[in-house]
Amino acid sequence: MRVGVEILNRARALHARVIFIVGTGRNVGKTTTMRAIYRAACDEARTVALAAVGAAAKPRMWLQAGTIFSTTRALLPASPAAHLLRISPLQSSAGSVLYALVVCDGLYELSGPPTASGAREVLEELEARSEIAIVDGAVDRVAALAGSPGAIVVAGGAAEAPTFDEALAEITALTARLRVPVFDPSLPAIQLDGALTAGAAAEFIARCESRQIVVRDPTQIALNGRAASQALERLKIRCRRPLHVIAATVASIGPERQFEPRRFGEAVAAGTQLPTFDIYRGAQAA
Amino acid sequence: VRSLQLLDAASASVIGFDWLRAAIAPVSPYGERRFAELRPFFAGEELDAQARAERIILLASALGADRIETLRFELSELPDATNAIARASMGDVLTDPSLLELRRFCMAVDERVGNDAVRTLRETLDTGQRDADGFYLDDAFDADLSDVRAQFRAAQAEFETARGREVERAARALGRDDLGDEFIVMRADVRGALPSGVRVVREAATYFLCALEYGEAALAALERRDAAAERIAGSEERVRARLSAIVRRSGEGLTQAAHALGNFDVMLAAARFALRHECVPAIVAAESVLEFESARFLPLETELIAAGRTFTPLDIVLNDAAVLTGPNMGGKSVCLLTCGFVALCVSFGLPVPAASARIALFDRIAWLGMGREAHVGGLLSSFAQEVLALKEILAQPAPRLLILVDEFARTTTPHEGKALVVALLGRLRELRACGMVATHLEGVAEAACVRHFAVRGLRGIPAPPPTDDIGAALKTLGASMDYRVGEVSGVETSRADAIALTALLGLDRQFVDAAYSALSQ
């Protein structure tokens, strides 16, 4: 099985032209997932665009000629020279964001703006220039996809949680949060302008709130791990602009710990109820 | 924009200097630099000031509002290439983003204020470019580039083939479709030994974490590819050095063009201002005069328009110090502000918001009155602050002073207040200042032997609106008030209309009646 091809097919079924890869933390296989999807898209001879948004993400990848990518001024390699398409007014800590086309295969560092509005600009620019855009992004920047048919892949792994159960809880909670359904306008609802915080959620739970609690999009649910799972289980949390999570990928090996790959993949598949791929094993969890 | 000694900070704030600065701000970094250097014109520069205002009007009528907006958008999108020009002049080898900025700069400049340096660089940077907005260190820059890139592509293809064969072989042996850089092999899936070339990175009870070693053929191809990549890097850097040297040699011309582009942006902003506010060039007079017809104080006019109301344009002819009287809320302060704002526009060589104007270049425009006090409730009373402000204004010599005084000495007794205002007018006459002194005190113009202007005032006493709504009250007042200003002669009659206004603004009937009763006694 080629995991990249599988994910690409699922995105295609959704008519998604952007695939956003978010993770439960660092070293959970986001870049490996991105590489797999990228290779599959290149093999289909599609015009592919790549970006990384959020302050921390700066994956370094070997890119083929014809690929469009976003990076920042300081991270653009001197060689091989790329065809610069546009310098954006968006700024990051590594200088202006710019868009370029790979003419000669080489190693390029992807980068982008740290802000949510910047992320939206990057997505629009790449979508306009490519057939499929693949974005490595921070969870809080995925709001740029809200309300659009863009697809999300959630990556989770052993690196960011001390135990198997906690790693599982993290990815399950993140996936559940991102998959919060759209609200039903015919039912009673409490519309929130800002984020749903842990404090507000605890208050709603304490008073056994039965109405829909509606946030703008799933990134406005400011809860993680078990707190998120609890709130999602006990409250009717809904959103105005939903997101589309199409798959999960797992990296059962982290720098400090490792989980049994087959068991971890199966647990994530059961917990998230999503097609789950082990990116290192090249297989789908049963 | 620097006001230099033309305005002190308090006067600038009241008269609308910041508003004007925002209204004429350019949009490009080139314009911003020129804008920061703008200074007012002073006596002796009348022709230059007038010529600038006329050029602005010419530009405005030649381009029209839509074209100006389009050009401003294009200018706002321009990257700042001045850093690149400066770095190249110091011997730096420019990066590709800098060369892109220079190319876009040359394209923008060449169409408007180009010179030979710009044209030469533009032609050079256009070499082999596939699109108008981008930049690529194209093969056409150097025959060597094309050769080394071809070598790289061949080496890369060779490497991919060799490596692809290795990956395919190992994947097939492991029963997989594909292998990443690192991959997991489950022990249960391995029959016998791992395929050759597969190295175990980490071992666990149920699986191996593996990587695929490079075979001899792939390694040799990789070595050739890396060598070709190095040659590309060398060639590309040589081309960049050559382009940077052209930028260095053209530095002076490029800098001049950047200045010219900045000036264009600044003039474009002024033309937009002139069109938007229906401005005309004033006649810039060599003698101390402030004369205009149908002038408007734009910061207030903008607010009024937003509120669905209109500004009543004002006519003034002033060449000395004069008194301005009128009812409360009749626009005395606005008349003073209009004088200051129009004079300010002329000082910066801008067309003025009026039907016509003849105005001097003043050495100082000073405001004394409401809005000037630093704060209330400090060590100094408002009277003391006002006196110190006047002292400061009078202490700074200005051969051509425009002073706008709003209810000076209003916080002392009417008797002494009048004496102080008369003394002030006497001093202004000695200084040959042009000024307007607004006051509620009676008989000042007569006592000081100066001209007297008055706001025409209420056409009748308006009835308070049925609801306690300040917006409705102001609208009613606006409809009843004649804000025009005219020169009056003879003995003035006392009409503050203050009691009627308190009723209009919602004070209760009993209070208003008590005030009328006290007035009649």
Side-chain angles (χ1 to χ4, degrees):
Chain A
M1 163 185 282
R2 289 189 63 193
V3 171
V5 174
E6 291 296 322
I7 293 175
L8 207 52
N9 286 341
R10 282 168 200 279
R12 191 181 290 120
L14 194 71
H15 302 289
R17 290 189 50 218
V18 178
I19 301 176
F20 209 105
I21 303 155
V22 300
T24 52
R26 294 171 68 85
N27 296 316
V28 292
K30 276 193 300 179
T31 306
T32 310
T33 303
M34 188 179 206
R35 267 195 206 109
I37 304 170
Y38 171 61
R39 280 176 55 198
C42 288
D43 288 350
E44 289 182 5
R46 300 169 86 177
T47 313
V48 190
L50 300 176
V53 295
K58 289 182 182 69
R60 197 156 182 259
M61 287 176 61
W62 182 269
L63 302 186
Q64 294 184 17
T67 303
I68 290 158
F69 65 103
S70 87
T71 188
T72 44
R73 207 164 169 139
L75 297 178
L76 181 75
S79 188
H83 179 168
L84 302 182
L85 301 168
R86 190 166 91 82
I87 300 175
S88 160
L90 294 171
Q91 292 290 324
S92 79
S93 57
S96 320
V97 172
L98 49 87
Y99 305 100
L101 168 73
V102 177
V103 182
C104 206
D105 297 9
L107 270 177
Y108 296 90
E109 216 160 331
L110 306 179
S111 185
T115 61
S117 60
R120 248 187 309 278
E121 193 219 90
V122 169
L123 291 195
E124 280 169 16
E125 182 87 24
L126 296 186
E127 229 182 321
R129 292 179 185 272
S130 66
E131 289 170 81
I132 184 93
I134 309 165
V135 182
D136 175 338
V139 174
D140 54 352
R141 298 293 167 252
V142 83
L145 282 187
S148 82
I152 296 170
V153 176
V154 180
E160 277 291 305
T163 65
F164 183 99
D165 286 346
E166 282 183 55
L168 179 61
E170 281 292 334
I171 189 167
T172 307
L174 174 60
T175 308
R177 181 155 71 96
L178 294 177
R179 295 176 85 190
V180 157
V182 72
F183 81 106
D184 182 344
S186 66
L187 296 175
I190 301 170
Q191 299 280 347
L192 298 185
D193 285 335
L196 174 64
T197 60
E203 217 171 284
F204 285 130
I205 292 171
R207 66 174 195 230
C208 300
E209 183 57 63
S210 60
R211 286 172 292 175
Q212 300 175 99
I213 294 157
V214 185
V215 289
R216 188 191 63 207
D217 64 64
T219 63
Q220 293 293 303
I221 303 166
L223 300 162
N224 290 319
R226 291 188 204 285
S229 301
Q230 280 283 309
L232 290 164
E233 201 176 293
R234 297 174 66 177
L235 297 169
K236 278 187 207 149
I237 301 174
R238 301 288 183 270
C239 68
R240 293 187 283 276
R241 299 166 67 200
L243 295 168
H244 307 282
V245 184
I246 57 165
T249 61
V250 290
S252 54
I253 302 157
E256 291 171 20
R257 70 194 69 82
Q258 52 198 316
F259 305 140
E260 204 292 314
R262 214 183 294 255
R263 203 178 130 233
F264 186 57
E266 283 166 4
V268 169
T272 62
Q273 296 292 302
L274 274 172
T276 300
F277 301 96
D278 186 328
I279 207 82
Y280 289 95
R281 211 155 53 85
Q284 181 169 0
Chain B
V1 179
R2 297 163 299 159
S3 66
L4 298 178
Q5 70 270 39
L6 179 69
L7 292 160
D8 58 54
S11 302
S13 156
V14 178
I15 289 171
F17 180 66
D18 289 341
W19 187 96
L20 180 64
R21 189 160 48 184
I24 58 168
V27 289
S28 73
Y30 309 96
E32 280 163 15
R33 272 191 287 275
R34 306 307 292 163
F35 192 59
E37 290 167 8
L38 273 191
R39 62 158 187 86
F41 291 97
F42 288 108
E45 298 176 312
E46 284 81 8
L47 289 177
D48 294 338
Q50 188 162 337
R52 184 173 192 270
E54 281 165 0
R55 279 203 309 277
I56 290 167
I57 292 295
L58 274 177
L59 186 65
S61 38
L63 295 173
D66 290 348
R67 181 79 184 124
I68 287 175
E69 291 306 328
T70 307
L71 285 169
R72 273 168 65 85
F73 175 74
E74 286 170 17
L75 284 168
S76 72
E77 293 279 291
L78 269 188
D80 190 357
T82 47
N83 262 344
I85 297 168
R87 280 193 290 107
S89 75
M90 291 185 280
D92 246 15
V93 173
L94 298 175
T95 60
D96 292 358
S98 294
L99 292 168
L100 169 58
E101 284 168 349
L102 277 164
R103 181 171 181 241
R104 292 204 51 210
F105 164 74
C106 289
M107 286 162 69
V109 167
D110 203 9
E111 287 163 19
R112 296 175 189 110
V113 287
N115 56 29
D116 287 347
V118 169
R119 272 183 284 280
T120 306
L121 184 60
R122 181 181 176 170
E123 280 163 22
T124 307
L125 293 177
D126 278 352
T127 303
Q129 298 309 315
R130 302 168 207 184
D131 63 60
D133 294 331
F135 178 79
Y136 176 55
L137 216 57
D138 195 84
D139 290 355
F141 279 110
D142 192 305
D144 184 48
L145 263 184
S146 161
D147 291 346
V148 291
R149 282 172 175 163
Q151 287 165 24
F152 175 85
R153 278 192 289 274
Q156 171 69 8
E158 196 187 334
F159 167 70
E160 278 172 9
T161 308
R163 182 63 177 166
R165 270 195 219 109
E166 289 169 4
V167 172
E168 202 184 325
R169 197 181 311 122
R172 204 181 317 119
L174 290 167
R176 304 268 288 261
D177 293 327
D178 195 17
L179 294 177
D181 293 342
E182 283 190 339
F183 50 93
I184 286 174
V185 178
M186 302 305 292
R187 282 180 188 270
D189 297 339
V190 181
R191 291 178 197 88
L194 286 166
S196 68
V198 173
R199 175 169 59 88
V200 175
V201 177
R202 197 191 292 178
E203 229 174 311
T206 58
Y207 65 92
F208 302 109
L209 176 66
C210 305
L212 185 62
E213 303 269 9
Y214 284 84
E216 264 178 44
L219 264 181
L222 187 61
E223 204 174 319
R224 281 191 289 279
R225 186 194 77 180
D226 288 350
E230 247 176 69
R231 285 195 294 277
I232 290 181
S235 292
E236 287 178 341
E237 207 54 10
R238 275 193 296 282
V239 173
R240 288 190 190 103
R242 213 166 57 229
L243 295 175
S244 304
I246 295 171
V247 177
R248 185 167 57 246
R249 285 197 297 276
S250 316
E252 200 177 319
L254 295 174
T255 304
Q256 279 169 10
H259 282 191
L261 187 66
N263 286 336
F264 177 70
D265 189 10
V266 169
M267 291 295 278
L268 205 58
R272 177 174 176 264
F273 163 80
L275 272 179
R276 189 169 271 200
H277 301 290
E278 297 173 0
C279 297
V280 298
I283 295 166
V284 186
E287 75 279 12
S288 189
V289 65
L290 184 81
E291 187 180 326
F292 50 71
E293 274 180 26
S294 299
R296 291 159 289 133
F297 178 52
L298 294 180
L300 177 62
E301 187 186 44
T302 312
E303 271 185 56
L304 286 172
I305 290 170
R309 296 171 60 195
T310 53
F311 186 96
T312 304
L314 299 170
D315 303 344
I316 291 286
V317 178
L318 194 66
N319 50 20
D320 51 10
V323 166
L324 174 65
T325 59
N328 289 100
M329 302 182 79
K332 294 188 300 297
S333 305
V334 173
C335 176
L336 301 183
L337 292 167
T338 307
C339 292
F341 188 80
V342 170
L344 188 62
C345 290
V346 171
S347 289
F348 280 95
L350 292 167
V352 296
S356 67
R358 190 168 153 270
I359 293 169
L361 293 174
F362 290 98
D363 300 307
R364 273 197 91 196
I365 302 173
W367 173 269
L368 179 68
M370 306 277 269
R372 188 168 181 110
E373 295 89 345
H375 58 278
V376 176
L379 289 176
L380 292 174
S381 70
S382 52
F383 178 74
Q385 287 183 46
E386 197 176 34
V387 170
L388 290 180
L390 176 62
K391 184 180 156 196
E392 198 182 310
I393 292 168
L394 296 177
Q396 290 170 15
R400 227 185 254 177
L401 170 68
L402 173 64
I403 181 165
L404 305 159
V405 183
D406 196 13
E407 297 188 36
F408 176 58
R410 66 191 170 282
T411 52
T412 188
T413 63
H415 183 62
E416 285 194 83
K418 179 179 171 184
L420 286 166
V421 176
V422 170
L424 169 60
L425 284 159
R427 176 61 65 85
L428 296 182
R429 202 169 43 225
E430 278 170 30
L431 293 171
R432 296 187 177 179
C434 205
M436 183 81 95
V437 178
T439 183
H440 278 296
L441 300 168
E442 288 179 14
V444 172
E446 206 180 358
C449 299
V450 296
R451 292 160 68 209
H452 179 196
F453 292 89
V455 175
R456 295 198 180 177
L458 287 172
R459 295 186 185 95
I461 304 297
T467 57
D468 192 18
D469 174 7
I470 186 69
L474 291 175
K475 219 165 189 172
T476 307
L477 175 68
S480 305
M481 185 73 79
D482 185 346
Y483 292 100
R484 286 176 299 167
V485 172
E487 191 169 351
V488 291
S489 54
V491 179
E492 62 202 88
T493 52
S494 168
R495 273 203 59 189
D497 295 323
I499 302 175
L501 290 169
T502 56
L504 181 66
L505 293 170
L507 265 181
D508 61 84
R509 193 67 246 170
Q510 202 179 348
F511 186 99
V512 174
D513 288 346
Y516 275 124
S517 164
L519 185 70
S520 67
Q521 285 162 20

